[in-house]
Amino acid sequence: MKYEVVIGLEVHAQLATNTKIFCGCSTRFGSEPNTQVCPVCLGLPGSLPVLNNQVVEFAIKMGLATDSQITRLNKFARKNYFYPDLPKGYQISQFEEPICEHGYVDIHVDDQHKRIGITRIHMEEDAGKSVHDEGYVNKDETLIDLNRCGVPLIEIVSEPDIRSAKEAAAYLTKIRQLVRYLGICDGNMEEGSLRCDANISLRPFGQKEFGTKTELKNMNSIRNVERAIEYEIKRQTYILEDGEKVIQETLLWDPVKNEARPMRSKEESHDYRYFPDPDLVPVKISQEWLDNIHNALPELPDVKSKRFTEEYSLPEYDAEVLTASRDIADYFETTAKSVKNSKLVSNWVMGEVMRLLNQQKTEIDHIGISPARLSDLLNAIDQNVISGSAAKTVFEKLAESDLSVAEIIEQKGLKQVSDSGALDSWIDQVIAENRPQVERYKNGETKLLGFFVGSIMKASKGKADPKLTNELLRKKLSEL
Amino acid sequence: MSVTIQDLEKIANLARLKLNEEEKSKFLGQLNQILEYVEKLNEINTDGIEPLSHSLDLVNVLRKDIEQASLDRNKALENAPKKNDAFFRVPKVVTK
């Protein structure tokens, strides 16, 4: 039997605030353990939480970016459970009426556009960190670092609209893109600033009721989310095909062994006994406050992508690649402002610039090639000053020196040669050196033309004007 | 509505309290007394009244996102029954 896959994702995003959600302690990552704590986040008796204004604004930004309804009167609730990384014995979260509800994002998978609903987005605090596996921890002990305790989170809960591992990856990529565009979270999954849990169940096609679900945790990259879900879909399919029943449980993904293992099921029977937190007064969002946040929103990726296809006449594919991150989109746009041929800019940013970024593992404003320098280079190609292959040489040099495009062209003697006398001599040389190929060409092997052009470009050290060379070469060969 | 012995045991377990039989019957009586007392509130007609979310008539007590000094680490760890020079130490938490 074929089964329909039903997936819902819960994404936790650590907000990029300076301070924690209810106290003024720093949220800096990687500091010495227990140096960013105070009576509030340690849960000491008599301390009182005061909400960070920025957390509310960041949560609303995400709500607006996902077309959610914004709740005007917000309350906080206590979620009660015992765990050593939670010193108060409860997590302050939102329960009824989260700050955002009924939103959505659009994803693009295999040439299909699809809308994934967002049930809710709520504000809450993170817990501390437990250290077990390091060599310096005693065998029968766990060490607790409370620096992360009280760092603000938003939890984004999707509708069970996702139907494959690929769609889950696309949804998560979209969420990460949005939080980065909005500047509310750095989106780093390896460091845990973006975390994802997946609820997965299978049901026969046509059945309305959901099957029994399992929850997958501990996937610290988008790739791992995709793999873990694929694994779990297979596992549940085998169980159902054997006529067995899926057990509702939480599974931990092991990225090394590529398998999911059940967590102890004893921990499962939670009863959080939510109730309103009497230490925090409600937060009222006025129309004016909402309008101010709305007006300060950056242009969002879907809108930007559409504008790129219209304003720069780019294919949808190019526009999506270029707008994947705001930095790259800005870089493209600044460059394209001073180059006539936008597609040329797109090709170079998607090609050479991204290659350089991957190679240097750096951010776009740290490569040695500013938009101004790239536009000089691309204009040189566009105006036939240098050939495309010579431009690659200039590009390499630009990345590693402060020389200008003109200086590099001059220094390396890369200026394109369109003088037919010089071109003639390179063409003659190549013809003379490759007599057997010329014979084969004359006998109908016309695809050898590329070989000749390549050889001429080589002989000219990339300086020969390719278009003119092509013309002259064809003419000469036909006259032989 | 009254609290049963099963309710009491569940609540005690969630609160990580270990009660002996004597305590159980004592607290069962007390809890039921409290509930009975609070039951009186049901006599009031609350039709059309918004549920109260806070006893103070205040909203938007907010703080600017500006860093303030944290505690000195020795101070932060001072009350912990078990610690080393950087961490709180607790009995092993089993995750696998």
Side-chain angles (χ1 to χ4, degrees), chain A residues 153-387:
Chain A
L153 301 173
I154 49 172
E155 180 176 338
I156 306 155
V157 182
S158 86
E159 289 286 311
D161 289 345
I162 299 165
R163 292 288 171 271
S164 68
K166 229 174 172 177
E167 285 184 14
Y171 168 82
L172 194 53
T173 304
K174 192 83 200 200
I175 294 291
R176 187 176 63 178
Q177 183 189 35
L178 283 175
V179 296
R180 285 180 169 166
Y181 260 73
L182 296 167
I184 64 171
C185 168
D186 68 22
N188 187 330
M189 291 193 74
E190 284 73 21
E191 284 180 6
S193 15
L194 197 72
R195 308 193 280 267
C196 175
D197 302 335
N199 290 305
I200 305 166
S201 64
L202 265 52
R203 63 181 170 193
F205 275 101
Q207 181 181 307
K208 269 197 179 146
E209 303 80 46
F210 293 129
T212 307
K213 68 174 180 184
T214 57
E215 187 179 8
L216 269 174
K217 284 177 180 288
N218 198 37
M219 303 163 287
N220 66 346
S221 69
I222 293 182
R223 206 179 133 63
N224 274 335
V225 169
E226 199 173 342
R227 278 162 142 185
I229 291 175
E230 271 165 12
Y231 170 93
E232 183 56 13
I233 292 171
K234 263 191 209 147
R235 194 186 69 92
Q236 290 191 17
T237 307
Y238 292 145
I239 291 174
L240 294 175
E241 279 177 349
D242 283 352
E244 307 276 327
K245 281 192 171 130
V246 173
I247 302 164
Q248 179 163 352
E249 60 186 343
T250 302
L251 303 161
L252 285 182
W253 177 246
D254 182 336
V256 180
K257 291 188 180 159
N258 270 325
E259 61 177 33
R261 280 195 304 270
M263 266 173 74
R264 278 197 318 170
S265 54
K266 220 171 119 188
E267 301 281 339
E268 297 285 308
S269 52
H270 287 306
D271 183 349
Y272 293 126
R273 294 150 293 145
Y274 284 94
F275 68 89
D277 191 323
D279 287 346
L280 289 154
V281 299
V283 186
K284 202 172 176 176
I285 319 279
S286 67
Q287 189 59 43
E288 190 193 357
W289 193 7
L290 198 57
D291 289 344
N292 286 341
I293 297 171
H294 196 271
N295 293 337
L297 282 184
E299 184 181 34
L300 294 171
D302 288 353
V303 178
K304 200 186 271 292
S305 175
K306 186 152 185 290
R307 182 169 62 78
F308 276 19
T309 60
E310 288 159 4
E311 205 169 314
Y312 300 103
S313 310
L314 294 178
E316 192 181 338
Y317 173 81
D318 290 40
E320 276 184 19
V321 172
L322 293 171
T323 55
S325 92
R326 203 169 150 185
D327 294 350
I328 305 252
D330 288 349
Y331 183 91
F332 164 80
E333 249 194 319
T334 316
T335 311
K337 288 270 180 273
S338 40
V339 180
K340 258 193 196 151
N341 185 346
S342 305
K343 180 61 181 148
L344 182 70
V345 181
S346 170
N347 290 346
W348 274 74
V349 173
M350 293 195 303
E352 294 303 300
V353 173
M354 291 211 179
R355 192 181 51 75
L356 192 67
L357 278 179
N358 287 333
Q359 207 175 51
Q360 301 190 348
K361 299 206 182 332
T362 184
E363 305 291 319
I364 198 146
D365 43 356
H366 291 128
I367 60 170
I369 304 173
S370 62
R373 279 152 74 80
L374 183 64
S375 59
D376 284 348
L377 175 64
L378 300 185
N379 280 324
I381 303 172
D382 214 24
Q383 290 152 18
N384 285 319
V385 179
I386 52 173
S387 67

Side-chain angles (χ1 to χ4, degrees), chain A residues 19-20 24 33-34 51 278 284, chain B residues 54 60 63 65 68 73 86:
Chain A
T19 65
K20 294 188 179 180
N34 295 305
L51 179 62
K284 202 172 176 176
Chain B
H54 203 277
N60 297 13
R63 179 174 64 76
D65 186 24
Q68 278 169 347
R73 181 157 70 191

Side-chain angles (χ1 to χ4, degrees), chain A residues 24-53:
Chain A
C25 287
S26 168
T27 54
R28 209 170 303 116
F29 181 78
S31 299
E32 277 288 299
N34 295 305
T35 54
Q36 287 162 195
V37 292
C38 75
V40 173
C41 53
L42 288 172
L44 298 188
S47 62
L48 283 173
V50 185
L51 179 62
N52 183 344
N53 179 67

